[in-house]
């Protein structure tokens, strides 16, 4: 999902609602949102990848907004 689609979805919701994140697609665990950051993302496949570290060559990385859970 891109940021513009997320914004459209969020604008329809109660702004006082808490943001909770699932730890996996099956919904086995949940955690409140702690923070967001802008990072560079390397996709390993269509469902997972890695965030670039300072030492990484960033060619081929995509800009991403990362939602960080509390736990």
């Amino acid at each position: 999902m891109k940021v513009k689609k997320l914004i459209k979805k969020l604008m329809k919701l109660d702004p006082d609602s808490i943001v909770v994140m699932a730890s996996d697609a099956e919904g086995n665990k949940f955690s409140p949102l702690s923070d967001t950051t802008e990072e560079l993302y390397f996709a390993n496949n269509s469902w997972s990848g890695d965030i670039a570290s300072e030492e990484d060559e960033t060619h081929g990385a995509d800009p991403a907004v990362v939602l960080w859970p509390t736990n």
Side-chain angles (χ1 to χ4, degrees):
M1 176 184 302
K2 298 207 177 204
V3 171
K4 62 184 171 185
K5 185 174 181 180
L6 177 60
I7 289 169
K8 285 181 183 178
K9 288 179 170 266
L10 292 175
M11 290 188 67
K12 297 176 185 175
L13 304 176
D14 178 354
D16 291 322
S17 296
I18 189 169
V19 177
V20 177
M21 297 176 48
S23 65
D24 58 32
E26 290 80 27
N28 291 312
K29 300 209 184 265
F30 296 88
S31 179
L33 179 66
S34 173
D35 198 7
T36 62
T37 58
E38 293 181 77
E39 308 286 347
L40 292 174
Y41 175 77
F42 292 101
N44 294 329
N45 48 50
S46 63
W47 67 89
S48 69
D50 296 302
I51 298 300
S53 69
E54 290 182 18
E55 298 82 32
D56 289 333
E57 170 63 43
T58 58
H59 179 71
D62 295 308
V65 174
V66 179
L67 306 178
W68 295 96
T70 300
N71 293 324

